[in-house]
Amino acid sequence: MRKNSMVKTLIILFCIAFLMVGMVSHADTLTDLNNEKTQVEQEKADIKEQLEEQKDALEKNQSEMADIIKEQEALTDERDAMLMDIEEIFESIQQLEKTIEETEQDYNNKIQLLKERSLVMYQNSNYSDLQMLLEADNILEYINRKTYFDAMLEKDHKLIDEVLALKADLESKKAIQVENKAAYEKLLAEKETLISRLDDKKGDLSKISESTQQMIANLEAMEDEMAKESENIAEKIRKEQERIRKEKEAEEAAKKKPPTPKPTKKPTPAPSGDLDSPPEENPSEPTLLLWPTNHKSAYISSYFGMRMHPIYNYMRMHNGIDITGWNINGADILAAESGTVLISEWQTNGGYGQYVVIDHGDGLSTVYAHASKLIAKAGQYVERGDVIALVGTTGNSTGPHLHFEVRVDGNPVNPLNYL
């Protein structure tokens, strides 16, 4: 009997030593986690600053792009109007060229005729009226010759006037042609300058478009990282739940001691069931959770499932429900059920912002995201209805709201089945 008592004592001492080693190990782990959290917080601040800079740059580029498009439309209208003017001037120049050719032909013909008439006039310059009278057979022939000669002389004078007028007209038309050509060349130069400006604007627009597309790609990559982080959170929850389960089993096993038989009394049979264990529940029936905020005007603005993303405008899986309402910013976020806070931090490389995860046991956990302030701490046990955080718009959010998730074994399920 004494030997058995010593063995039992040694076993108890061994268990106590084992638990103390575990406590030291947990303390070391907690220190490491605190150091890691400090480093993550610093990285989080850097990433948040970079993200804000990218959003500001994207907004500025989009504004510049709108201005360039507007200016490009105005320049295009000016170019079209200029092309119409140039077309009209070009047609006018062609018509004037044709008129100048005709005038020059008429002028050259009259010059040739004038030369011929001038030669005849020169040859007959000494032919007087007396000589004409003496050479005539009678007075009637003289009168006819005199009339014909005067008519020819008058025609020659008229021809000279016509030649002079044609010369003046030709010089005027050529001057107009020079002016039109100068105007045409000026408009053509302006058109070339305009086209060059349009090309430059298009180049700037293309660069801004490429930059914008790259920024969008970066944001989409961040969105993908958020999805990966969601899965990482699920895995972290599963591991934490498994660790807590094993620790509880170890604690319960350490507490249970075999009863020491007393020879003077008859052993009393132990009651059925474990008095320290909670009553068994049907795991197939979902637990009815508390509505996670006490804000009076709260309502669901986005449901669980595939939806058009409110920021990036493409279909994405929504792992929970969004709860918003009039003047909801800063409203209380309530624990939907009692449990242990697994996570209470600002998510880095993701879209949850400040968020809380509570483990309720049996694989059930809840997530509360985009908080403006965190109240519950990691490792803290909270009761159903406790205030754990305040509603905000941190992370990838378009406005103040609570993103609420229910997870079973770390996997997101429809929260409406539990509310």
Side-chain angles (χ1 to χ4, degrees):
M1 180 68 68
R2 182 180 180 87
K3 184 178 181 180
N4 291 337
S5 177
M6 291 179 63
V7 170
K8 290 178 182 179
T9 302
L10 288 174
I11 292 174
I12 292 172
L13 290 174
F14 177 78
C15 291
I16 293 172
F18 178 79
L19 290 175
M20 292 181 65
V21 171
M23 292 175 62
V24 173
S25 175
H26 284 308
D28 292 340
T29 303
L30 183 60
T31 301
D32 294 339
L33 288 175
N34 286 331
N35 293 335
E36 184 179 356
K37 182 179 179 181
T38 302
Q39 181 179 357
V40 167
E41 287 292 331
Q42 182 62 44
E43 293 177 357
K44 173 201 68 179
D46 295 340
I47 291 173
K48 182 181 179 182
E49 182 179 356
Q50 294 174 11
L51 182 59
E52 290 299 327
E53 290 176 356
Q54 285 185 349
K55 287 182 178 179
D56 291 341
L58 179 60
E59 184 177 354
K60 182 179 178 181
N61 285 340
Q62 289 175 339
S63 177
E64 291 178 356
M65 185 184 299
D67 293 340
I68 289 176
I69 291 174
K70 185 177 180 180
E71 184 177 0
Q72 187 180 27
E73 291 174 352
L75 291 176
T76 301
D77 293 340
E78 291 179 10
R79 181 193 63 183
D80 294 341
M82 185 179 293
L83 289 175
M84 292 179 64
D85 293 340
I86 290 175
E87 187 67 22
E88 291 177 1
I89 292 174
F90 182 71
E91 291 177 359
S92 175
I93 289 175
Q94 286 183 324
Q95 185 65 32
L96 188 58
E97 286 282 356
K98 184 178 179 181
T99 303
I100 288 174
E101 289 178 2
E102 294 174 353
T103 303
E104 284 182 339
Q105 184 65 34
D106 191 17
Y107 176 77
N108 291 333
N109 291 339
K110 283 182 169 52
I111 286 291
Q112 183 63 30
L113 180 60
L114 183 60
K115 287 180 180 180
E116 294 175 357
R117 294 301 303 152
S118 297
L119 179 62
V120 173
M121 290 174 65
Y122 175 75
Q123 291 174 351
N124 296 303
S125 60
N126 295 325
Y127 193 67
S128 63
D129 290 344
L130 180 60
Q131 186 178 354
M132 187 183 303
L133 179 61
L134 294 174
E135 290 179 354
D137 294 336
N138 50 54
I139 189 65
L140 183 60
E141 183 180 355
Y142 167 73
I143 293 172
N144 289 336
R145 284 188 176 186
K146 176 64 174 174
T147 302
Y148 177 74
F149 186 81
D150 290 342
M152 290 186 62
L153 185 62
E154 183 181 356
K155 187 175 181 180
D156 288 342
H157 284 294
K158 185 178 180 181
L159 178 61
I160 291 173
D161 292 339
E162 289 179 355
V163 168
L164 292 175
L166 282 173
K167 182 179 180 182
D169 182 58
L170 185 61
E171 289 176 351
S172 175
K173 288 178 178 177
K174 285 185 176 180
I176 293 173
Q177 184 188 40
V178 170
E179 292 178 359
N180 287 344
K181 285 184 177 180
Y184 173 80
E185 291 175 355
K186 180 181 178 181
L187 286 176
L188 187 62
E190 290 178 357
K191 185 193 75 169
E192 294 296 336
T193 302
L194 179 61
I195 292 175
S196 177
R197 287 176 60 191
L198 286 173
D199 289 339
D200 292 341
K201 292 295 182 182
K202 288 179 180 178
D204 294 340
L205 186 63
S206 177
K207 291 179 181 178
I208 292 175
S209 178
E210 291 176 0
S211 176
T212 303
Q213 290 175 358
Q214 183 60 45
M215 289 183 180
I216 291 175
N218 291 339
L219 291 175
E220 288 177 346
M222 292 178 64
E223 181 70 9
D224 292 338
E225 286 297 325
M226 185 183 72
K228 293 179 182 177
E229 185 65 19
S230 177
E231 179 57 30
N232 291 338
I233 290 174
E235 182 63 24
K236 187 174 182 180
I237 290 172
R238 286 191 287 267
K239 289 182 178 179
E240 287 292 321
Q241 290 173 337
E242 180 65 16
R243 181 184 63 80
I244 292 173
R245 184 186 66 80
K246 289 182 178 180
E247 287 185 351
K248 285 183 178 180
E249 289 179 353
E251 290 176 0
E252 290 176 0
K255 290 178 180 179
K256 291 181 180 180
K257 300 177 182 178
T260 304
K262 297 182 180 180
T264 58
K265 294 184 180 181
K266 184 177 180 180
T268 303
S272 60
D274 189 354
L275 296 177
D276 296 332
S277 300
E280 295 183 359
E281 297 180 357
N282 187 355
S284 63
E285 295 181 0
T287 303
L288 190 62
L289 300 177
L290 180 69
W291 183 252
T293 179
N294 55 9
H295 191 69
K296 294 182 179 179
S297 67
Y299 64 91
I300 299 175
S301 60
S302 183
Y303 290 83
F304 178 86
M306 295 298 295
R307 68 165 181 174
M308 182 64 69
H309 196 283
I311 296 179
Y312 308 121
N313 295 320
Y314 60 89
M315 298 300 293
R316 297 285 295 190
M317 179 62 188
H318 190 222
N319 290 334
I321 59 174
D322 290 342
I323 301 173
T324 187
W326 175 255
N327 200 27
I328 198 172
N329 192 42
D332 292 342
I333 299 176
L334 310 180
E337 186 53 80
S338 302
T340 302
V341 178
L342 296 181
I343 302 172
S344 180
E345 63 184 19
W346 190 309
Q347 183 191 42
T348 59
N349 295 331
Y352 284 166
Q354 296 193 105
Y355 74 114
V356 176
V357 180
I358 301 176
D359 173 42
H360 307 293
D362 296 328
L364 181 67
S365 59
T366 49
V367 180
Y368 314 77
H370 305 307
S372 62
K373 181 180 179 181
L374 300 175
I375 297 177
K377 306 296 183 182
Q380 177 182 345
Y381 185 83
V382 295
E383 297 289 347
R384 178 186 175 97
D386 283 352
V387 178
I388 58 172
L390 302 181
V391 174
T393 183
T394 56
N396 290 351
S397 170
T398 58
H401 72 283
L402 166 61
H403 174 80
F404 177 66
E405 295 181 12
V406 176
R407 293 177 178 248
V408 176
D409 295 330
N411 301 313
V413 294
N414 191 346
L416 296 183
N417 294 334
Y418 292 79
L419 292 173

